[in-house]
PDB file of all heavy atoms in Angstrom:
ATOM      1  N   SER H 508     -19.711  39.292  69.084  1.00  0.00           N
ATOM      2  CA  SER H 508     -20.592  39.138  70.231  1.00  0.00           C
ATOM      3  C   SER H 508     -21.922  38.574  69.779  1.00  0.00           C
ATOM      4  O   SER H 508     -22.434  38.925  68.733  1.00  0.00           O
ATOM      5  CB  SER H 508     -20.825  40.487  70.903  1.00  0.00           C
ATOM      6  OG  SER H 508     -19.595  41.067  71.227  1.00  0.00           O
ATOM      7  N   ALA H 509     -22.452  37.698  70.619  1.00  0.00           N
ATOM      8  CA  ALA H 509     -23.728  37.078  70.276  1.00  0.00           C
ATOM      9  C   ALA H 509     -24.661  37.219  71.451  1.00  0.00           C
ATOM     10  O   ALA H 509     -24.386  36.712  72.524  1.00  0.00           O
ATOM     11  CB  ALA H 509     -23.519  35.612  69.958  1.00  0.00           C
ATOM     12  N   GLY H 510     -25.739  37.916  71.244  1.00  0.00           N
ATOM     13  CA  GLY H 510     -26.772  37.965  72.259  1.00  0.00           C
ATOM     14  C   GLY H 510     -26.342  38.634  73.554  1.00  0.00           C
ATOM     15  O   GLY H 510     -27.155  38.896  74.406  1.00  0.00           O
ATOM     16  N   GLU H 511     -25.030  38.870  73.709  1.00  0.00           N
ATOM     17  CA  GLU H 511     -24.587  39.556  74.914  1.00  0.00           C
ATOM     18  C   GLU H 511     -24.941  41.034  74.767  1.00  0.00           C
ATOM     19  O   GLU H 511     -24.975  41.546  73.646  1.00  0.00           O
ATOM     20  CB  GLU H 511     -23.073  39.410  75.086  1.00  0.00           C
ATOM     21  CG  GLU H 511     -22.643  37.953  75.176  1.00  0.00           C
ATOM     22  CD  GLU H 511     -21.334  37.700  74.454  1.00  0.00           C
ATOM     23  OE1 GLU H 511     -20.715  38.670  74.007  1.00  0.00           O
ATOM     24  OE2 GLU H 511     -20.969  36.530  74.325  1.00  0.00           O
ATOM     25  N   GLU H 512     -25.194  41.687  75.871  1.00  0.00           N
ATOM     26  CA  GLU H 512     -25.553  43.094  75.775  1.00  0.00           C
ATOM     27  C   GLU H 512     -24.380  43.882  75.203  1.00  0.00           C
ATOM     28  O   GLU H 512     -23.237  43.436  75.267  1.00  0.00           O
ATOM     29  CB  GLU H 512     -25.953  43.649  77.146  1.00  0.00           C
ATOM     30  CG  GLU H 512     -24.850  43.648  78.172  1.00  0.00           C
ATOM     31  CD  GLU H 512     -24.738  42.317  78.886  1.00  0.00           C
ATOM     32  OE1 GLU H 512     -24.755  41.266  78.216  1.00  0.00           O
ATOM     33  OE2 GLU H 512     -24.645  42.322  80.099  1.00  0.00           O
ATOM     34  N   ALA H 513     -24.690  45.012  74.590  1.00  0.00           N
ATOM     35  CA  ALA H 513     -23.663  45.834  73.962  1.00  0.00           C
ATOM     36  C   ALA H 513     -22.535  46.032  74.950  1.00  0.00           C
ATOM     37  O   ALA H 513     -22.743  46.391  76.115  1.00  0.00           O
ATOM     38  CB  ALA H 513     -24.256  47.172  73.557  1.00  0.00           C
ATOM     39  N   HIS H 514     -21.338  45.784  74.471  1.00  0.00           N
ATOM     40  CA  HIS H 514     -20.226  45.771  75.404  1.00  0.00           C
ATOM     41  C   HIS H 514     -19.056  46.518  74.802  1.00  0.00           C
ATOM     42  O   HIS H 514     -18.820  46.459  73.612  1.00  0.00           O
ATOM     43  CB  HIS H 514     -19.829  44.335  75.704  1.00  0.00           C
ATOM     44  CG  HIS H 514     -18.876  44.234  76.837  1.00  0.00           C
ATOM     45  ND1 HIS H 514     -19.276  44.287  78.142  1.00  0.00           N
ATOM     46  CD2 HIS H 514     -17.536  44.102  76.863  1.00  0.00           C
ATOM     47  CE1 HIS H 514     -18.223  44.193  78.923  1.00  0.00           C
ATOM     48  NE2 HIS H 514     -17.158  44.076  78.171  1.00  0.00           N
ATOM     49  N   HIS H 515     -18.342  47.229  75.660  1.00  0.00           N
ATOM     50  CA  HIS H 515     -17.152  47.941  75.196  1.00  0.00           C
ATOM     51  C   HIS H 515     -15.983  47.541  76.053  1.00  0.00           C
ATOM     52  O   HIS H 515     -16.144  47.139  77.203  1.00  0.00           O
ATOM     53  CB  HIS H 515     -17.367  49.462  75.267  1.00  0.00           C
ATOM     54  CG  HIS H 515     -18.408  49.934  74.320  1.00  0.00           C
ATOM     55  ND1 HIS H 515     -18.199  50.053  72.973  1.00  0.00           N
ATOM     56  CD2 HIS H 515     -19.700  50.272  74.525  1.00  0.00           C
ATOM     57  CE1 HIS H 515     -19.293  50.467  72.392  1.00  0.00           C
ATOM     58  NE2 HIS H 515     -20.231  50.598  73.304  1.00  0.00           N
ATOM     59  N   PHE H 516     -14.800  47.670  75.448  1.00  0.00           N
ATOM     60  CA  PHE H 516     -13.609  47.367  76.213  1.00  0.00           C
ATOM     61  C   PHE H 516     -13.472  48.365  77.355  1.00  0.00           C
ATOM     62  O   PHE H 516     -13.681  49.556  77.179  1.00  0.00           O
ATOM     63  CB  PHE H 516     -12.372  47.472  75.312  1.00  0.00           C
ATOM     64  CG  PHE H 516     -12.151  46.236  74.515  1.00  0.00           C
ATOM     65  CD1 PHE H 516     -12.508  46.179  73.186  1.00  0.00           C
ATOM     66  CD2 PHE H 516     -11.579  45.121  75.096  1.00  0.00           C
ATOM     67  CE1 PHE H 516     -12.291  45.044  72.452  1.00  0.00           C
ATOM     68  CE2 PHE H 516     -11.368  43.980  74.364  1.00  0.00           C
ATOM     69  CZ  PHE H 516     -11.723  43.937  73.037  1.00  0.00           C
ATOM     70  N   ASP H 517     -13.119  47.825  78.496  1.00  0.00           N
ATOM     71  CA  ASP H 517     -12.848  48.706  79.624  1.00  0.00           C
ATOM     72  C   ASP H 517     -11.560  48.197  80.247  1.00  0.00           C
ATOM     73  O   ASP H 517     -11.565  47.303  81.087  1.00  0.00           O
ATOM     74  CB  ASP H 517     -14.021  48.645  80.611  1.00  0.00           C
ATOM     75  CG  ASP H 517     -13.733  49.495  81.828  1.00  0.00           C
ATOM     76  OD1 ASP H 517     -12.918  50.431  81.699  1.00  0.00           O
ATOM     77  OD2 ASP H 517     -14.292  49.199  82.900  1.00  0.00           O
ATOM     78  N   ILE H 518     -10.482  48.726  79.761  1.00  0.00           N
ATOM     79  CA  ILE H 518      -9.192  48.202  80.179  1.00  0.00           C
ATOM     80  C   ILE H 518      -8.392  49.280  80.877  1.00  0.00           C
ATOM     81  O   ILE H 518      -8.301  50.405  80.389  1.00  0.00           O
ATOM     82  CB  ILE H 518      -8.414  47.687  78.957  1.00  0.00           C
ATOM     83  CG1 ILE H 518      -9.093  46.439  78.442  1.00  0.00           C
ATOM     84  CG2 ILE H 518      -6.984  47.376  79.318  1.00  0.00           C
ATOM     85  CD1 ILE H 518      -8.352  45.799  77.342  1.00  0.00           C
ATOM     86  N   HIS H 519      -7.871  48.919  81.992  1.00  0.00           N
ATOM     87  CA  HIS H 519      -6.996  49.860  82.679  1.00  0.00           C
ATOM     88  C   HIS H 519      -6.047  49.054  83.539  1.00  0.00           C
ATOM     89  O   HIS H 519      -6.240  47.849  83.763  1.00  0.00           O
ATOM     90  CB  HIS H 519      -7.809  50.834  83.544  1.00  0.00           C
ATOM     91  CG  HIS H 519      -8.844  50.137  84.356  1.00  0.00           C
ATOM     92  ND1 HIS H 519      -8.554  49.498  85.527  1.00  0.00           N
ATOM     93  CD2 HIS H 519     -10.159  49.917  84.118  1.00  0.00           C
ATOM     94  CE1 HIS H 519      -9.640  48.932  85.995  1.00  0.00           C
ATOM     95  NE2 HIS H 519     -10.629  49.155  85.166  1.00  0.00           N
ATOM     96  N   PHE H 520      -5.014  49.702  84.005  1.00  0.00           N
ATOM     97  CA  PHE H 520      -4.037  49.011  84.818  1.00  0.00           C
ATOM     98  C   PHE H 520      -4.665  48.605  86.148  1.00  0.00           C
ATOM     99  O   PHE H 520      -5.321  49.409  86.803  1.00  0.00           O
ATOM    100  CB  PHE H 520      -2.833  49.934  85.066  1.00  0.00           C
ATOM    101  CG  PHE H 520      -1.661  49.181  85.599  1.00  0.00           C
ATOM    102  CD1 PHE H 520      -0.880  48.422  84.740  1.00  0.00           C
ATOM    103  CD2 PHE H 520      -1.348  49.219  86.945  1.00  0.00           C
ATOM    104  CE1 PHE H 520       0.201  47.716  85.228  1.00  0.00           C
ATOM    105  CE2 PHE H 520      -0.266  48.506  87.425  1.00  0.00           C
ATOM    106  CZ  PHE H 520       0.508  47.747  86.568  1.00  0.00           C
ATOM    107  N   PRO H 521      -4.531  47.317  86.528  1.00  0.00           N
ATOM    108  CA  PRO H 521      -5.203  46.870  87.756  1.00  0.00           C
ATOM    109  C   PRO H 521      -4.576  47.541  88.985  1.00  0.00           C
ATOM    110  O   PRO H 521      -3.356  47.546  89.136  1.00  0.00           O
ATOM    111  CB  PRO H 521      -4.950  45.357  87.773  1.00  0.00           C
ATOM    112  CG  PRO H 521      -3.789  45.149  86.874  1.00  0.00           C
ATOM    113  CD  PRO H 521      -3.804  46.248  85.862  1.00  0.00           C
ATOM    114  N   THR H 522      -5.424  48.110  89.806  1.00  0.00           N
ATOM    115  CA  THR H 522      -4.932  48.769  91.009  1.00  0.00           C
ATOM    116  C   THR H 522      -5.350  48.001  92.254  1.00  0.00           C
ATOM    117  O   THR H 522      -4.755  48.156  93.315  1.00  0.00           O
ATOM    118  CB  THR H 522      -5.468  50.203  91.095  1.00  0.00           C
ATOM    119  OG1 THR H 522      -6.862  50.165  90.820  1.00  0.00           O
ATOM    120  CG2 THR H 522      -4.780  51.094  90.091  1.00  0.00           C
ATOM    121  N   LYS H 523      -6.413  47.159  92.110  1.00  0.00           N
ATOM    122  CA  LYS H 523      -6.829  46.368  93.269  1.00  0.00           C
ATOM    123  C   LYS H 523      -6.458  44.910  93.020  1.00  0.00           C
ATOM    124  O   LYS H 523      -6.239  44.491  91.881  1.00  0.00           O
ATOM    125  CB  LYS H 523      -8.354  46.462  93.436  1.00  0.00           C
ATOM    126  CG  LYS H 523      -8.843  47.819  93.863  1.00  0.00           C
ATOM    127  CD  LYS H 523     -10.351  47.787  94.058  1.00  0.00           C
ATOM    128  CE  LYS H 523     -11.023  47.431  92.769  1.00  0.00           C
ATOM    129  NZ  LYS H 523     -12.443  47.763  92.720  1.00  0.00           N
ATOM    130  N   LEU H 524      -6.414  44.148  94.077  1.00  0.00           N
ATOM    131  CA  LEU H 524      -6.132  42.735  93.952  1.00  0.00           C
ATOM    132  C   LEU H 524      -7.433  41.994  93.666  1.00  0.00           C
ATOM    133  O   LEU H 524      -8.326  41.958  94.488  1.00  0.00           O
ATOM    134  CB  LEU H 524      -5.491  42.200  95.233  1.00  0.00           C
ATOM    135  CG  LEU H 524      -4.860  40.819  95.068  1.00  0.00           C
ATOM    136  CD1 LEU H 524      -3.658  40.898  94.134  1.00  0.00           C
ATOM    137  CD2 LEU H 524      -4.450  40.278  96.430  1.00  0.00           C
ATOM    138  N   SER H 525      -7.533  41.481  92.439  1.00  0.00           N
ATOM    139  CA  SER H 525      -8.716  40.693  92.091  1.00  0.00           C
ATOM    140  C   SER H 525      -8.239  39.275  91.815  1.00  0.00           C
ATOM    141  O   SER H 525      -7.031  39.035  91.701  1.00  0.00           O
ATOM    142  CB  SER H 525      -9.386  41.304  90.865  1.00  0.00           C
ATOM    143  OG  SER H 525      -8.470  41.294  89.800  1.00  0.00           O
ATOM    144  N   PRO H 526      -9.155  38.301  91.725  1.00  0.00           N
ATOM    145  CA  PRO H 526      -8.707  36.917  91.494  1.00  0.00           C
ATOM    146  C   PRO H 526      -7.821  36.800  90.262  1.00  0.00           C
ATOM    147  O   PRO H 526      -6.831  36.076  90.272  1.00  0.00           O
ATOM    148  CB  PRO H 526     -10.019  36.170  91.303  1.00  0.00           C
ATOM    149  CG  PRO H 526     -11.044  36.980  91.978  1.00  0.00           C
ATOM    150  CD  PRO H 526     -10.595  38.412  91.910  1.00  0.00           C
ATOM    151  N   TYR H 527      -8.176  37.550  89.190  1.00  0.00           N
ATOM    152  CA  TYR H 527      -7.390  37.351  87.975  1.00  0.00           C
ATOM    153  C   TYR H 527      -6.056  38.072  88.058  1.00  0.00           C
ATOM    154  O   TYR H 527      -5.088  37.645  87.441  1.00  0.00           O
ATOM    155  CB  TYR H 527      -8.161  37.754  86.727  1.00  0.00           C
ATOM    156  CG  TYR H 527      -9.433  38.527  86.991  1.00  0.00           C
ATOM    157  CD1 TYR H 527      -9.471  39.899  86.898  1.00  0.00           C
ATOM    158  CD2 TYR H 527     -10.599  37.836  87.358  1.00  0.00           C
ATOM    159  CE1 TYR H 527     -10.641  40.588  87.156  1.00  0.00           C
ATOM    160  CE2 TYR H 527     -11.767  38.529  87.626  1.00  0.00           C
ATOM    161  CZ  TYR H 527     -11.776  39.903  87.525  1.00  0.00           C
ATOM    162  OH  TYR H 527     -12.921  40.572  87.784  1.00  0.00           O
ATOM    163  N   VAL H 528      -5.983  39.133  88.817  1.00  0.00           N
ATOM    164  CA  VAL H 528      -4.669  39.747  89.021  1.00  0.00           C
ATOM    165  C   VAL H 528      -3.788  38.773  89.794  1.00  0.00           C
ATOM    166  O   VAL H 528      -2.606  38.590  89.488  1.00  0.00           O
ATOM    167  CB  VAL H 528      -4.809  41.076  89.788  1.00  0.00           C
ATOM    168  CG1 VAL H 528      -3.439  41.604  90.171  1.00  0.00           C
ATOM    169  CG2 VAL H 528      -5.561  42.093  88.946  1.00  0.00           C
ATOM    170  N   LEU H 529      -4.415  38.085  90.744  1.00  0.00           N
ATOM    171  CA  LEU H 529      -3.691  37.084  91.495  1.00  0.00           C
ATOM    172  C   LEU H 529      -3.166  35.992  90.572  1.00  0.00           C
ATOM    173  O   LEU H 529      -2.029  35.515  90.707  1.00  0.00           O
ATOM    174  CB  LEU H 529      -4.619  36.488  92.563  1.00  0.00           C
ATOM    175  CG  LEU H 529      -3.898  35.715  93.667  1.00  0.00           C
ATOM    176  CD1 LEU H 529      -3.031  36.665  94.484  1.00  0.00           C
ATOM    177  CD2 LEU H 529      -4.897  34.993  94.553  1.00  0.00           C
TER     178      LEU H 529
END
Side-chain angles (χ1 to χ4, degrees):
Chain H
S508 305
E511 301 142 7
E512 64 275 46
H514 191 80
H515 294 284
F516 278 102
D517 177 24
I518 290 185
H519 46 80
F520 194 78
T522 47
K523 291 182 299 198
L524 194 67
S525 60
Y527 12 99
V528 172
L529 196 66

